[in-house]
């Protein structure tokens, strides 16, 4: 009786645990779908990454410190004006006392000098008061408030960045545990195959490892989805931080512009005797008063282009470098693919998927899960011999690297903005040491805007009742294309070590592509038959004309 009650309690505990896990994953996905996006500003798409935000933060902080130094300089100037006025007043009083009883007209001239000293003392006293009231006090107040804003925004963003890093570390730890468990299961399977005479010897161990494998894989898949949720939250926090920094800089420029205008007007009202003295300074200040703050904002550029690093799942069965039975490899991939397929069906049936977010620089949750599904199906197609392999518009952003433990790691490197062609792409270090190229060249995806793989769902077709339906699109593997040779249209001067110099009229052999903005290749002919630099490097796509 006690034994049966113990089994019943264990069964109830497992059911409650599975129900809580399911509800937790559902809530996590709903939070990812409902996450709001933010409107664009001038600097958001350039600096909404951790490294670029720190660069912008340092720039704004330095400008704030510059404002503090300017205020200190004007405080010294005001103190000097007050001291100079006080000294001139004392001298003027002495001269007035000395010339009170004089009768000679020549000696009375010193009275006029004393009156001139009074005028100068009054002018400097008024100038010191104007500097204190119109420049020092407003700028000191705005500098102090902006310093607090910068500190608060920095703390807020850094806290979210730390959360994202912790979530990534947790995901990597779960992936390493999954790999160890997969290897143990493979050893057990191999041992069972060698000792077929005693299958019951390994039955219990195999069942234990398989159950653990299924739970670990499910946890890893949903942990990856949670990581994407945290990444999107961190990106929105970064966007808010950049907006705050940009607002601080605009306020600083506006207040400085107002202070300079007040200082200019005060100088102009000092009188005709001093106008000529300050005319040269007034002309120089005119340029600063008439300048447009937006022109300066537009010149602020990061040192590297801003990109999103989106972490994808990497199952043990996807790593074809690991020794594993093809049958078990396919079963493992199909099981996880089925989990994602069921989730896609649920999103479409409930019509809760954020098919297109308002910020076009982000990918939707639906597209993220669809790409995970495409990635697993691509591995299944490789197991089947590579026939009928499909394409997805995000494939050209995929990179394979290794994490700190040496395990394979797949990420999507999606640029936030494609407007800046003068910046180099950021390094894909991301806690990794070695990068591996994609098995397909980026040029193979030039002519596909958005193509779905087998089993994907199209949002452009509807069923008879108005809801979305499934569509299947299969494409043959593209044939290898001939080398691409381009003609140089404009001269390009390299600004970085990995760039090459190209001149109008040269022919360049294209070796590879970096996104839509850069090509990699080397010069193969000169229009004047001069010597050729054999080095390979990158150059802008817009400077050449492509031809096969």
């Amino acid at each position: 009786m006690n034994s049966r009650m113990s089994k019943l309690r264990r069964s109830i505990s497992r059911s409650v645990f599975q129900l809580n896990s399911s509800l937790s994953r559902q809530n996590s996905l709903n939070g990812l779908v409902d996450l709001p996006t933010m409107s664009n500003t001038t600097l958001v798409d350039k600096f909404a990454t951790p490294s670029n935000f720190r660069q912008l933060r340092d720039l704004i902080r330095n400008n704030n410190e510059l404002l503090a130094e300017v205020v200190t300089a004007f405080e010294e100037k005001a103190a000097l004006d007050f001291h100079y006025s006080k000294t001139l007043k004392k001298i003027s009083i002495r001269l007035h006392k000395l010339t009170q009883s004089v009768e000679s007209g020549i000696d009375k001239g010193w009275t006029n000098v004393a009156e001139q000293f009074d005028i100068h003392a009054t002018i400097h006293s008024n100038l010191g008061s104007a500097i204190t009231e119109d420049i020092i006090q407003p700028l000191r107040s705005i500098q102090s408030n902006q310093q607090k804003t910068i500190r608060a925004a920095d703390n807020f963003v850094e806290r979210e960045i730390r959360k994202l890093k912790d979530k990534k570390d947790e995901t990597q730890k779960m992936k390493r545990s999954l790999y160890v468990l997969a290897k143990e299961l493979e050893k057990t399977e191999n041992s069972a195959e060698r000792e077929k005479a005693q299958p019951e010897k390994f039955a219990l161990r195999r069942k234990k490892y398989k159950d653990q494998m299924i739970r670990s894989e499910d946890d890893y898949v949903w942990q990856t989805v949670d990581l994407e949720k945290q990444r999107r939250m961190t990106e929105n926090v970064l966007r808010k931080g950049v907006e705050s920094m940009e607002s601080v800089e605009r306020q600083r420029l506006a207040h400085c512009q107002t202070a300079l205008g007040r200082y200019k007007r005060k100088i102009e009202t000092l009188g005709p005797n001093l106008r000529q003295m300050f005319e040269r300074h007034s002309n120089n200040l005119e340029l600063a008063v008439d300048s447009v703050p937006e022109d300066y904002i537009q010149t602020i550029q990061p040192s590297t282009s801003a990109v999103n690093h989106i972490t994808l799942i990497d199952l043990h069965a996807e790593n074809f470098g690991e020794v594993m039975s093809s049958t078990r490899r396919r079963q493992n991939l199909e099981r996880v693919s089925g989990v994602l397929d069921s989730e896609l069906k649920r999103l479409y049936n409930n019509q809760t998927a954020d098919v297109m977010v308002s910020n076009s620089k982000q990918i939707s949750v639906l597209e993220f899960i669809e790409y995970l599904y495409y990635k697993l199906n691509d591995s299944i197609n490789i197991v089947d011999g590579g026939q009928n392999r499909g394409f997805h518009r995000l494939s050209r952003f995929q990179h394979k690297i290794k994490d700190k433990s040496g395990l394979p790691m797949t990420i999507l490197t999606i640029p936030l903005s494609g407007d800046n062609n003068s910046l180099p792409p950021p390094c894909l270090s991301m806690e990794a040491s070695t990068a591996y190229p994609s098995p397909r060249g980026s040029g193979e995806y030039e002519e596909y805007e958005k193509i779905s793989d087998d089993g994907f769902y199209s949002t452009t077709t509807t069923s008879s009742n108005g809801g979305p339906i499934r569509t299947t699109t299969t494409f043959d593997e593209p044939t290898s294309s001939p080398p691409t040779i381009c003609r140089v249209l404009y001269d390009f001067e390299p600004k970085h070590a990995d760039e090459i110099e190209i001149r109008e009229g040269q022919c360049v052999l294209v070796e590879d592509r970096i996104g839509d903005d850069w090509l990699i290749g080397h010069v193969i002919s000169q229009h004047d038959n001069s010597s050729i630099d054999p080095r390979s490097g990158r150059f802008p796509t817009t400077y050449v004309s492509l031809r096969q």
Side-chain angles (χ1 to χ4, degrees):
M1 181 65 178
N2 292 334
S3 176
R4 283 190 292 175
M5 289 298 294
S6 298
K7 291 181 179 180
L8 180 60
R9 284 194 295 269
R10 287 195 297 269
S11 177
I12 293 175
S13 299
R14 284 195 299 269
S15 300
V16 171
F17 176 79
Q18 293 174 358
L19 179 60
N20 291 335
S21 299
S22 177
L23 292 175
S24 176
R25 291 165 182 166
Q26 184 65 34
N27 293 335
S28 176
L29 184 59
N30 290 337
L32 185 59
V33 171
D34 297 334
L35 193 64
T37 58
M38 304 183 66
S39 59
N40 288 329
T41 60
T42 303
L43 300 180
V44 163
D45 288 339
K46 299 178 182 178
F47 291 92
T49 60
S51 58
N52 291 350
F53 172 81
R54 294 187 180 102
Q55 182 180 349
L56 178 63
R57 175 204 61 194
D58 294 339
L59 174 63
I60 303 302
R61 185 179 292 169
N62 291 337
N63 290 342
N64 184 264
E65 294 174 357
L66 170 64
L67 180 59
E69 293 295 329
V70 169
V71 173
T72 301
F74 271 94
E75 287 176 344
E76 295 177 358
K77 174 66 169 60
L80 182 62
D81 285 331
F82 286 130
H83 180 72
Y84 184 66
S85 174
K86 184 177 180 180
T87 303
L88 276 181
K89 200 67 176 178
K90 290 181 179 179
I91 295 174
S92 174
I93 292 174
R94 289 172 57 189
L95 284 177
H96 277 296
K97 287 182 178 181
L98 291 173
T99 57
Q100 277 182 353
S101 58
V102 297
E103 297 180 356
S104 172
I106 296 176
D107 293 332
K108 288 182 179 180
W110 298 114
T111 303
N112 296 328
V113 173
E115 292 175 354
Q116 186 66 32
F117 285 171
D118 287 336
I119 295 174
H120 277 268
T122 303
I123 289 175
H124 284 280
S125 177
N126 293 339
L127 182 59
S129 299
I131 290 175
T132 301
E133 296 173 1
D134 297 338
I135 298 179
I136 295 176
Q137 293 178 356
L139 292 186
R140 177 64 72 185
S141 177
I142 192 65
Q143 187 269 335
S144 177
N145 292 335
Q146 288 186 349
Q147 189 177 36
K148 296 177 181 178
T149 303
I150 294 172
R151 188 183 301 113
D154 183 32
N155 294 337
F156 184 51
V157 171
E158 290 296 333
R159 182 168 62 251
E160 287 299 322
I161 292 176
R162 285 194 297 270
K163 289 182 181 178
L164 178 61
K165 182 179 181 300
D166 294 339
K167 182 68 71 173
K168 286 183 179 179
D169 294 339
E170 184 179 352
T171 304
Q172 294 300 319
K173 181 179 179 181
M174 188 174 295
K175 183 172 72 173
R176 289 193 295 269
S177 301
L178 180 60
Y179 269 62
V180 172
L181 186 60
K183 290 182 178 180
E184 291 295 330
L185 177 59
E186 187 65 17
K187 291 179 181 179
T188 303
E189 294 285 355
N190 292 334
S191 299
E193 290 177 357
R194 288 193 299 267
E195 299 183 20
K196 295 182 179 180
Q198 298 178 342
E200 66 278 0
K201 181 178 179 181
F202 300 91
L204 183 59
R205 189 186 305 174
R206 289 169 62 185
K207 184 178 182 303
K208 174 184 176 182
Y209 282 146
K210 284 183 178 179
D211 293 342
Q212 292 179 357
M213 191 75 175
I214 291 174
R215 289 195 301 269
S216 299
E217 285 177 344
D218 291 345
D219 292 341
Y220 175 57
V221 169
W222 294 112
Q223 179 71 16
T224 306
V225 175
D226 290 342
L227 175 60
E228 172 60 11
K229 173 188 174 181
Q230 182 62 44
R231 184 199 66 78
R232 294 183 67 193
M233 291 179 61
T234 303
E235 180 185 354
N236 283 335
V237 169
L238 283 168
R239 297 176 72 86
K240 187 65 177 177
V242 172
E243 288 179 357
S244 178
M245 292 295 179
E246 182 177 349
S247 175
V248 166
E249 186 62 9
R250 289 180 183 274
Q251 289 179 5
R252 185 190 70 84
L253 293 174
H255 281 79
C256 289
Q257 199 171 24
T258 302
L260 289 173
R262 291 174 177 174
Y263 186 65
K264 172 178 173 295
R265 290 191 295 271
K266 188 63 180 178
I267 291 176
E268 291 175 347
T269 58
L270 287 178
N273 294 332
L274 297 178
R275 185 177 300 277
Q276 184 178 3
M277 182 188 307
F278 293 105
E279 184 176 359
R280 178 170 55 88
H281 302 286
S282 177
N283 292 335
N284 294 332
L285 292 175
E286 188 73 24
L287 299 176
V289 173
D290 294 338
S291 62
V292 180
E294 188 66 26
D295 294 340
Y296 169 74
I297 294 294
Q298 292 289 349
T299 61
I300 302 177
Q301 296 288 346
S303 58
T304 61
S305 58
V307 296
N308 273 331
H309 294 295
I310 301 177
T311 305
L312 305 178
I313 61 174
D314 289 284
L315 299 177
H316 179 266
E318 288 184 277
N319 186 5
F320 290 92
E322 298 287 347
V323 179
M324 187 176 185
S325 170
S326 60
T327 301
R328 286 190 293 274
R329 188 188 299 275
R330 181 182 177 85
Q331 291 175 350
N332 181 271
L333 294 174
E334 287 181 341
R335 195 200 69 79
V336 180
S337 176
V339 173
L340 296 175
D341 186 40
S342 300
E343 182 59 27
L344 288 174
K345 290 179 182 178
R346 187 190 68 80
L347 290 176
Y348 272 96
N349 292 335
N350 297 337
Q351 297 184 351
T352 58
D354 54 345
V355 178
M356 181 61 69
V357 293
S358 59
N359 180 11
S360 59
K361 303 300 186 302
Q362 288 188 356
I363 65 172
S364 64
V365 178
L366 171 67
E367 195 168 15
F368 174 72
I369 298 179
E370 273 187 348
Y371 191 75
L372 296 181
Y373 181 71
Y374 156 78
K375 181 172 175 286
L376 292 177
N377 281 354
D378 197 38
S379 298
I380 294 174
N381 288 331
I382 294 175
V383 174
D384 293 339
Q387 299 296 326
N388 297 327
R389 293 175 65 181
F391 296 91
H392 193 278
R393 77 177 188 90
L394 299 179
S395 298
R396 61 195 178 101
F397 300 114
Q398 178 175 309
H399 297 274
K400 288 187 176 294
I401 59 178
K402 285 190 176 181
D403 58 17
K404 291 182 178 180
S405 304
L407 298 178
M409 182 178 184
T410 306
I411 61 174
L412 293 178
T413 305
I414 300 180
L416 289 177
S417 174
D419 299 334
N420 196 343
N421 293 334
S422 63
L423 300 177
C427 177
L428 294 177
S429 57
M430 262 190 61
E431 310 155 354
S433 58
T434 307
Y436 293 89
S438 174
R440 293 191 280 286
S442 58
E444 299 178 7
Y445 304 99
E446 289 263 321
E447 314 208 344
Y448 298 96
E449 177 62 23
K450 183 173 182 181
I451 303 177
S452 299
D453 191 9
D454 183 23
F456 283 3
Y457 308 105
S458 174
T459 60
T460 59
T461 60
T462 57
S463 62
S464 58
N465 57 4
I469 61 173
R470 295 187 60 176
T471 61
T472 301
T473 306
T474 304
F475 296 89
D476 294 333
E477 184 72 16
T479 58
S480 59
S481 58
T484 301
I485 300 176
C486 59
R487 174 75 66 178
V488 180
L489 301 178
Y490 315 103
D491 295 344
F492 173 71
E493 296 292 340
K495 299 179 182 178
H496 303 276
D498 59 340
E499 298 173 352
I500 62 172
E501 178 184 7
I502 56 177
R503 296 295 178 185
E504 180 182 358
Q506 292 179 339
C507 290
V508 181
L509 177 64
V510 178
E511 301 172 357
D512 201 352
R513 177 185 295 270
I514 306 177
D516 294 333
D517 302 332
W518 295 89
L519 297 174
I520 297 178
H522 63 277
V523 179
I524 60 174
S525 68
Q526 299 272 19
H527 63 281
D528 54 358
N529 296 325
S530 59
S531 60
I532 298 176
D533 186 1
R535 293 185 305 109
S536 294
R538 62 185 179 89
F539 52 91
T541 306
T542 55
Y543 280 60
V544 299
S545 174
L546 295 175
R547 60 189 179 91
Q548 296 292 335

